[in-house]
């Protein structure tokens, strides 16, 4: 019996050693073919830009093509479904954002599990917003705006790039903590939403700094506050919502890399390491800064905690739309 047990233990040790060596070999050989990097939006937006600034440098580091695959539509659900169904081998990645984390709250049924079907690789960046009002609105501070809206419930509206967009989610967060009632006017994209407030079709808009800056400087819109907990470097005179009205209020758009479930840990570690190196490159940080994003990077564990925290937050803030 002792001999049998010893033999069994020895066999198991050899088996697990072989499995470990296979994982190490897989990581060492990875990648041996092109990588697909899915973007849940069309070309030209922040998600597309942040992906395309990383992709060629990742290709250079790996010696393989990294193909950017734009799959817009469905509020990122189309792209997320593609990723969930992909093989977990490290050859399919996706640039996820705040909409991805809000979808479990917005939709009663999704064709995937936002936590179990994906493996976080790293956070890419954070993007604070600013709150704009049309000059016709008689408010010069966030406190004055809240008082004005409460005096006219349901009479003012705000622009968004659609249900689940950052503009929409940011305002829903503000509504949830202040009890204000403003009406969402959804457009087909951020550019149309900006045009609507400049033209006076809408009165309020949360947006990142770069597209807003020229309109702020020209006086075509008024900026009341920033959504980050610290002031934005390009608009140091603008107070944050946290300091001026609601201590602790914090909203950032964000981008991060996900892979399908089942990806080997060794491959996750290598992807994390290489992408974080890229995010330290000066040219990369400057390009991200030009779209209002601060390059961050993270460990896979930090990215996982971020996604889980975001999913929990939006389940408390927004209601299902279907």
């Amino acid at each position: 019996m002792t001999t049998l047990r010893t033999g069994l233990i020895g066999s198991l040790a050899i088996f697990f050693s072989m499995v470990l060596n296979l994982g190490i070999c897989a990581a060492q050989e990875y990648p041996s073919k092109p990588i697909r990097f899915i973007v849940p939006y069309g070309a030209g937006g922040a998600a597309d830009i942040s992906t395309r600034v990383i992709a060629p440098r990742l290709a250079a580091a790996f010696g393989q093509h990294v193909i950017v695959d734009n799959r817009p539509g469905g509020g990122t659900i189309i792209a997320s479904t593609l990723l969930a169904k992909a093989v977990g081998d490290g050859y399919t990645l996706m640039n996820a954002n705040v909409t991805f984390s809000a979808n479990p709250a917005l939709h009663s049924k999704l064709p995937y599990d936002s936590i179990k079907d994906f493996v976080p690789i790293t956070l890419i960046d954070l993007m604070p917003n600013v709150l704009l009002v049309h000059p016709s609105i008689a408010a010069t501070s966030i406190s004055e705006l809240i008082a004005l809206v409460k005096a006219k419930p349901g009479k003012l509206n705000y622009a968004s790039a659609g249900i689940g967009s950052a503009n929409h989610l940011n305002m829903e967060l503000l509504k949830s903590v202040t009890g204000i009632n403003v009406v969402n006017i959804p457009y087909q994209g951020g550019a149309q939403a900006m045009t609507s407030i400049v033209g006076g079709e809408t009165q309020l808009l949360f947006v990142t700094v770069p597209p807003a800056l020229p309109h702020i400087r020209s006086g075509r819109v008024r900026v009341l506050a920033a959504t980050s907990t610290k002031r934005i470097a390009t608009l140091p005179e603008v107070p944050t919502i946290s300091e001026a009205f609601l201590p602790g209020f914090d909203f950032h758009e964000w981008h991060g890399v996900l892979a399908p479930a089942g990806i080997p840990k060794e491959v996750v570690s290598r992807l994390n390491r290489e992408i974080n190196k890229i995010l330290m490159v000066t040219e990369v940080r400057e390009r991200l800064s030009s779209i209002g994003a601060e390059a961050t990077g993270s460990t896979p564990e930090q990215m996982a905690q971020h996604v889980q925290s975001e999913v929990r937050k939006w389940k408390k803030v927004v209601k299902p739309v279907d």
Side-chain angles (χ1 to χ4, degrees), residues 146-153:
I146 298 301
L148 177 64
V149 175
K150 285 188 174 182
K152 300 179 178 181

Side-chain angles (χ1 to χ4, degrees), residues 5 14 18 36 68 87 91 109 117 130 166 180-181 189 193 229-230 295 303:
R5 184 182 296 113
I14 293 171
M18 289 174 64
R36 179 169 64 150
V68 177
V87 178
Y91 291 97
K109 291 184 179 180
D117 290 340
V130 288
I180 61 173
N181 180 7
T229 54
K230 63 179 181 179
M303 175 63 177

Side-chain angles (χ1 to χ4, degrees), residues 10-277:
S11 297
L12 287 172
I14 293 171
F15 171 76
F16 285 118
S17 176
M18 289 174 64
V19 170
L20 178 61
N21 286 333
L22 283 173
I24 293 172
C25 288
Q28 289 174 341
E29 294 173 359
Y30 173 86
S32 58
K33 61 181 181 180
I35 297 169
R36 179 169 64 150
F37 208 145
I38 300 172
V39 180
Y41 298 96
D48 182 65
I49 291 171
S50 62
T51 303
R52 291 181 187 277
V53 76
I54 291 171
R57 291 170 172 82
L58 192 61
F62 283 160
Q64 292 287 344
H65 292 295
V66 176
I67 302 165
V68 177
D69 184 6
N70 295 87
R71 293 299 182 104
T76 80
I77 294 174
I78 291 174
S80 299
T81 302
L82 282 174
L83 185 69
K85 292 180 177 179
V87 178
D89 55 8
Y91 291 97
T92 307
L93 308 173
M94 187 181 82
N95 187 332
N97 70 346
V98 64
T99 303
F100 171 87
S101 62
N103 276 335
L106 290 168
H107 304 281
S108 55
K109 291 184 179 180
L110 289 173
Y112 53 82
D113 186 301
S114 298
I115 302 299
K116 295 179 181 179
D117 290 340
F118 306 97
V119 174
I121 303 297
T122 186
L123 196 61
I124 296 173
D125 59 46
L126 296 174
M127 304 174 69
N129 280 199
V130 288
L131 175 57
L132 306 180
V133 297
H134 187 265
S136 63
I137 300 299
T140 58
S141 68
I142 182 67
S143 57
E144 288 180 1
L145 177 67
I146 298 301
L148 177 64
V149 175
K150 285 188 174 182
K152 300 179 178 181
K155 299 299 182 182
L156 297 183
N157 56 46
Y158 71 96
S160 78
I163 300 297
S165 65
N167 328 97
H168 169 240
L169 295 173
N170 203 338
M171 187 61 78
E172 290 302 309
L173 180 61
L174 184 64
K175 288 169 62 178
S176 73
V177 294
T178 61
I180 61 173
N181 180 7
V182 289
V183 179
N184 181 19
I185 307 297
Y187 291 85
Q188 292 187 347
Q192 293 94 327
M194 177 61 72
T195 299
S196 77
I197 190 172
V198 171
E201 294 176 5
T202 54
Q203 288 95 48
L204 313 175
L205 175 66
F206 276 112
V207 68
T208 55
V209 174
L213 203 55
H215 302 298
I216 294 171
R217 300 301 191 208
S218 69
R220 286 177 286 185
V221 296
R222 184 184 306 127
V223 57
L224 298 188
T227 65
S228 48
T229 54
K230 63 179 181 179
R231 296 195 180 196
I232 297 172
T234 50
L235 292 169
E237 72 281 7
V238 177
T240 68
I241 293 176
S242 179
E243 70 177 280
F245 190 70
L246 290 167
F249 186 93
D250 186 19
F251 177 90
H252 287 84
E253 296 184 44
W254 56 269
H255 297 107
V257 184
L258 298 179
I263 180 174
K265 290 183 179 180
E266 295 80 7
V267 176
V268 170
S269 296
R270 185 158 185 217
L271 281 166
N272 176 270
R273 184 169 61 252
E274 295 298 341
I275 294 173
N276 282 333
K277 283 182 184 178

